[in-house]
Amino acid sequence: MPALRRTLGLLAIPALALATALPAASAAHADTTSSWTVRPDAAAGGWLARQLVDGDHFESVFNGTAYPDQGLTIDAVLAFAASHSSDEAAARATAWLARPEIIGGYLGDGTTEAYAGATAKLLLAAEVRGANPASFGGVDLPARLRSLQTTEGRFSDRSQWGDYSNAFGQSLALIALHRTPGGAPAAAVDFLANSQCADGGYPVSFGQATCTADPDATALAVQALAATGRTAKANAGLGWLTAHQNADGGFAAAGATASNANTTGLATQALVAGGRFGAGLKGWSRLVKFQQGCSADPAVRGAVAYDETGFNAGNGARATAQAVLGLAGTPLATLSAAGARPDAPSLACPSPTVR
């Protein structure tokens, strides 16, 4: 079961054409804890906050059994910060992540079991929340992560279940460690930079016989390399992304052709952060079209569908969390929860016309 939990944990960015009278932006819902917004990112963040199990975490279901999903919960924490909303929900989720049984199940015990990607992702979340990363849930996250760096610069898992480390974890590690006083290790930056494919993109898995670029991996690598001063490498990755943008403005997962919200969210964030505003605006527009608007069921307004087939409750939370990153456009290297509004805003829709 530990291997299953690791997989679940690491899986881890149109409604607003309002022409008639809207509720006042500060008007509260009946529960008095939620206000209204016309911002796509804030509406998505507010919807996401209302989906938290027990108000503080997400779960994944496998064979009828629910497991805590730390990875998706962290995605939500990052989305709340990016959308400058739902800070009370973010605080509860952060406290849940710091619980001993939750953090231990996600990171490993630190000795026989220690997971690089999970440690990097949680370190980033702690930094975004303004927590002390050297004592988060009793764990010194930067020290734990640095202990997982190999001599070649790769951050690798230490586990009896195998090494699941990849470019996602490497990029998140560089971004998170860049935010610490010690900075990102030069060898680790070199390792990611040297993994670049000949076409300018970046692969998910290292050391493959054929280097095959992946849009999600490239979006994260671009942000990591830009943050650590590898401008030329980052620009080449941005060029690869723009060359692989679909005609509808979105991005497809590796091996697919149809745009999806998860990949589009990450790619759009990278493009906007990297100054590719034309391509970034196209990606943003695609995300807004995936968003559930005023014609949708009130329960899903503000949520973002995974793709054009429509909203699916099974993947809606993950799609919305990653779509927010693109809707907001703030790079992970500077993302902060400071100044976020405490409540979970709902999408403001026109009031019915009284005749």
Side-chain angles (χ1 to χ4, degrees), residues 6-263:
R6 288 186 59 197
T7 302
L8 291 174
L10 291 172
L11 284 176
I13 70 215
L16 304 179
L18 306 177
T20 56
L22 295 174
S26 60
H29 276 184
D31 62 7
T32 73
T33 62
S34 182
S35 58
W36 305 94
T37 185
V38 296
R39 283 176 37 211
D41 59 338
W47 177 86
L48 190 65
R50 290 186 288 277
Q51 311 314 305
L52 290 165
V53 177
D54 297 331
D56 61 8
H57 71 283
F58 280 101
E59 295 177 341
S60 289
V61 178
F62 185 78
N63 283 344
T65 301
Y67 299 94
D69 193 332
Q70 293 95 325
L72 179 54
T73 303
I74 293 174
D75 287 341
V77 168
L78 299 179
F80 298 149
S83 64
H84 299 290
S85 72
S86 309
D87 197 57
E88 291 177 348
R92 292 191 299 269
T94 304
W96 179 83
L97 287 165
R99 287 165 50 179
E101 71 276 18
I102 299 302
I103 195 171
Y106 186 53
L107 302 185
D109 59 17
T111 54
T112 58
E113 296 290 322
Y115 315 136
T119 305
K121 193 170 181 177
L122 186 57
L123 170 57
L124 178 60
E127 292 167 337
V128 167
R129 289 295 305 159
N132 180 4
S135 182
F136 187 85
V139 178
D140 187 336
L141 294 173
R144 173 80 65 87
L145 183 56
R146 291 180 191 278
S147 76
L148 297 175
Q149 183 185 332
T150 66
T151 56
E152 62 181 346
R154 177 176 178 173
F155 292 96
S156 295
D157 297 339
R158 184 167 60 241
S159 173
Q160 63 178 315
W161 307 101
D163 185 1
Y164 287 80
S165 63
N166 57 27
F168 297 140
Q170 188 78 13
S171 296
L172 290 172
L174 295 185
I175 293 169
L177 290 175
H178 173 71
R179 298 172 61 129
T180 67
V189 179
D190 288 342
F191 184 86
L192 180 63
N194 292 337
S195 74
Q196 189 172 40
C197 299
D199 59 8
Y202 290 82
V204 174
S205 300
F206 299 125
Q208 300 299 302
T210 301
C211 189
T212 303
D214 175 273
D216 296 88
T218 300
L220 285 176
V222 160
Q223 295 194 62
L225 293 168
T228 53
R230 299 301 182 90
T231 305
K233 290 285 190 176
N235 284 339
L238 289 171
W240 186 91
L241 284 174
T242 56
H244 289 79
Q245 188 168 27
N246 285 340
D248 64 6
F251 291 82
T257 57
S259 299
N260 73 76
N262 299 52
T263 304

Side-chain angles (χ1 to χ4, degrees), residues 257-353:
T257 57
S259 299
N260 73 76
N262 299 52
T263 304
T264 303
L266 290 177
T268 300
Q269 180 187 38
L271 291 167
V272 173
R276 304 295 178 98
F277 299 118
L281 179 58
K282 292 178 182 177
W284 185 91
S285 298
R286 175 69 266 185
L287 291 171
V288 172
K289 291 177 182 176
F290 282 142
Q291 190 165 35
Q292 305 304 288
C294 294
S295 62
D297 185 323
V300 301
R301 290 176 184 171
V304 179
Y306 175 75
D307 58 24
E308 63 183 4
T309 62
F311 182 77
N312 182 327
N315 57 28
R318 200 176 304 275
T320 300
Q322 294 188 5
V324 168
L325 300 179
L327 289 171
T330 305
L332 293 175
T334 58
L335 187 61
S336 172
R341 62 196 293 177
D343 65 309
S346 295
L347 177 64
C349 291
S351 299
T353 302

